[in-house]
Amino acid sequence: MNQKNFQAIYVLWLRQMKRFLRAKSRVLTTIVQPLFFLFILGFGFNIAVFPGMQGSYINFLAPGIIAMAILFSSMFTGVSVLWDKQSGFLQEVLVAPVSRLSIVIGRTLGGATIALFQGFIIMIIAIALGVPITSTGGLLLTLVIMVLLSFTAVGFGLIIASKMHDFEGFQSIMSLILMPLLFLSSMFYPVTESLPGWLQMLSYCNPLFYMIDGIRGSLTGVNNILDPLVDLGIILTLCIIIMGLGTYFFNKSEA
Amino acid sequence: MDIITTENLTKTFDGFTAVDHISFSVKKGEVFGFLGPNGAGKTTTIKMLTTLLYPTQGSATIAGFDILKQRADVRENIGVVFQEPALDTELTGRENLDFHARMYGLSQEVRKKRVFKLLTLVDLLDKKDVLVKHYSGGMKRRLEIARGLMHSPTVLFLDEPTLGLDAQTRRAIWEYIKQLNKDENTTIFLTTHYMDEADFLCDRIGIIDHGKIMVMNTVDMLKKSIGNDVITLSCSDIQKLQKRLEQESWISKITPYASFLTLGVERGEEKIPAIFDIARTVNVTISSVDVRRPTLDDVFIYYTGRSMREQDHEAPHNGTKKPARFRLRWQK
């Protein structure tokens, strides 16, 4: 990594910031959409009593909404490589004398910054709504998991983008892969109490489960199934694998 | 000194050979052009030379660096203007240039200087803070050319630099290309399917068709190679007349193309009576004759056996299907 590669990472990051801030509608949607979930679902289910759930429903829901906001935003960044491919801009990036790794890092950092910005807003609103924080250490751990979640999702987006040539496939991926992952992630309800055994097994195979369980455990300290540090270990391993694969596929794709 | 050399460069896509064992070299400071119809393998060649595609076979060097083993050094030395626009339309013109400059590691001082100089060169200084999505096609093209030059590359690759632009903008872009070749001594490798563009810009051209270089020389030499004058005629029986004319030693080249026969000769206007006499002896009626200096189109027909304009109806200056050169100037 020489100075030129750092400059490339910086300018790729800067480009994403500029683009994000200029796309007013995107800024708005990505913040407002999770808030709909948080408010409407949160208040709607607040009177329901789930067996084994501690505290109010909104406390249970908030960590999942934070994770969802970060997930969608980061995946979008990864997949938006496809936009660059179609608009031809990717070629401009690829002929530059910088390493492929720094291109991936620049993009990931850009996407992660935006995603975390959105995640923070949701988190602050959730805290304002009365979602409790266990401890400073817990909050820090939450931040670490948020960052890892974001990196993983960008990497996942990169893999999808390198395998697709248009946006048709993107819709199917969103509904066929992402929706079941969300529903099985323990985001909306505690999976241990309600789901039949085989669906619970699927839940444990779901990467998103560990992300949400981790945020829930570290931020609110209740309703989590695993120790947040165990979640962290799993998430870290996953993040490294997915980022590695994302970089590999991005390297291999020809413009 | 050779800036670009290729040896048996080949690219196949799923059994289809887009570029077929091409070897050529381009000297420093030269404007070299690949002339050929769409799908001839021009863009694929550029993509291999600019490290965006891996060759299936063969090798090439740019400024002495191997395109396979020294990819970073190659990228350092090249600027590319792609066939499809490759700008970030959500950024301003200045930001696009600045992005590029930073990717190439230019210092802030150099960046500012180059941005100013190049925006002036392509007449976009007053539009520098406008988002590129509000630019016209010609402005985008000019911005891309400016961007390709930001880091003072040794070689600038231009893939169909004036594709889809109006006649006036094309002229202007030609002037920029000529000027920067002179001012910055940039070696230029361009591809085009416009005869007039190749004729105007290139010192040397290679005619490429079906992934192969058919012939390569200076524009003048190529034209001379098919004779000083070209006679194009249409008649009642092309094959019969061609067979008969082939016995005449004063005709250097005979090429049938569609319903026309093209002959390469010296002092064309004096040969017309002789051709009529010959036609009469074999009972062929000539319906039209045209004599002129050879054009690159004639060169193309001669070496490929077909006209490039068959595939090229979108040329902005030439809306009619029938090429202007086939106007019947002399009717019997």
Side-chain angles (χ1 to χ4, degrees), chain A residues 4 7-8 10-12 15 18-19 22 87-89 91-98 100 254-255, chain B residues 47 50 52-54 75-76 82 84-88 90-91 95 99-100 102-105 111 131 147:
Chain A
K4 187 180 274 182
Q7 205 178 16
Y10 169 71
V11 73
L12 283 162
R15 168 179 177 242
K18 284 186 173 167
R19 283 182 66 104
R22 277 172 201 175
S87 74
F89 191 77
Q91 297 184 333
E92 149 77 1
V93 176
L94 289 180
V95 288
V98 295
R100 294 297 178 260
E254 292 177 324
Chain B
K47 286 200 170 170
T50 55
L52 287 176
L53 283 178
Y54 291 96
R75 291 184 187 129
E76 214 55 80
F82 300 100
E84 321 84 40
L87 295 161
D88 189 333
E90 298 295 325
L91 299 181
E95 284 170 340
F99 175 89
H100 183 90
R102 285 178 195 260
M103 288 294 275
Y104 286 76
R111 278 204 311 267
L131 290 183
R147 185 178 65 179

Side-chain angles (χ1 to χ4, degrees), chain A residues 160-174:
Chain A
I160 295 174
S162 69
K163 292 283 144 202
M164 287 195 316
H165 295 285
D166 49 52
F167 296 104
E168 320 270 286
F170 184 54
Q171 278 301 326
S172 344
I173 292 196
M174 287 302 261

Side-chain angles (χ1 to χ4, degrees), chain A residues 23-182:
Chain A
K24 301 274 185 305
S25 64
R26 192 183 152 204
V27 181
L28 201 69
T29 335
T30 43
I31 293 170
V32 170
Q33 198 201 22
L35 286 184
F36 283 157
F37 276 88
L38 190 64
F39 276 95
I40 301 175
L41 271 184
F43 288 121
F45 280 109
N46 223 7
I47 53 157
V49 181
F50 288 88
M53 186 190 286
Q54 293 174 26
S56 68
Y57 182 69
I58 209 157
N59 295 0
F60 183 84
L61 185 67
I65 301 293
I66 295 171
M68 190 184 75
I70 295 174
L71 178 78
F72 279 6
S73 176
S74 305
M75 259 191 68
F76 179 82
T77 301
V79 173
S80 66
V81 169
L82 218 62
W83 262 265
D84 283 353
K85 210 189 254 179
Q86 287 203 326
S87 74
F89 191 77
L90 187 63
Q91 297 184 333
E92 149 77 1
V93 176
L94 289 180
V95 288
V98 295
S99 75
R100 294 297 178 260
L101 184 64
S102 47
I103 296 173
V104 173
I105 294 176
R107 188 154 206 113
T108 307
L109 288 181
T113 311
I114 295 168
L116 289 172
F117 163 75
Q118 291 164 341
F120 282 138
I121 291 186
I122 309 291
M123 189 161 83
I124 290 165
I125 292 171
I127 291 167
L129 285 175
V131 174
I133 304 170
T134 43
S135 61
T136 327
L139 191 64
L140 284 177
L141 186 58
T142 309
L143 298 186
V144 173
I145 294 175
M146 281 164 72
V147 172
L148 291 177
L149 164 61
S150 172
F151 283 4
T152 314
V154 175
F156 185 55
L158 281 177
I159 296 175
I160 295 174
S162 69
K163 292 283 144 202
M164 287 195 316
H165 295 285
D166 49 52
F167 296 104
E168 320 270 286
F170 184 54
Q171 278 301 326
S172 344
I173 292 196
M174 287 302 261
S175 42
L176 288 179
I177 300 182
L178 215 56
M179 282 303 151
L181 283 184
L182 275 182

Side-chain angles (χ1 to χ4, degrees), chain B residues 69-133:
Chain B
K69 293 173 205 129
Q70 295 157 296
R71 299 172 81 76
D73 294 307
V74 170
R75 291 184 187 129
E76 214 55 80
N77 279 287
I78 57 172
V80 195
V81 176
F82 300 100
Q83 187 171 336
E84 321 84 40
L87 295 161
D88 189 333
T89 52
E90 298 295 325
L91 299 181
T92 66
R94 191 193 58 76
E95 284 170 340
N96 264 289
L97 295 190
D98 193 65
F99 175 89
H100 183 90
R102 285 178 195 260
M103 288 294 275
Y104 286 76
L106 303 188
S107 69
Q108 191 180 1
E109 202 184 327
V110 178
R111 278 204 311 267
K112 272 199 177 142
K113 236 190 262 167
R114 293 291 292 174
V115 168
F116 180 80
K117 184 178 171 192
L118 289 164
L119 283 176
T120 313
L121 175 74
V122 298
D123 283 332
L124 283 174
L125 201 57
D126 53 334
K127 300 277 187 211
K128 68 177 166 45
D129 293 320
V130 175
L131 290 183
V132 171
K133 64 178 167 190

Side-chain angles (χ1 to χ4, degrees), chain A residues 197-212:
Chain A
W198 63 278
L199 270 180
Q200 264 187 52
M201 280 310 294
L202 277 183
S203 256
Y204 291 128
C205 299
N206 177 0
L208 213 49
F209 170 84
Y210 300 98
M211 316 257 180
I212 291 175

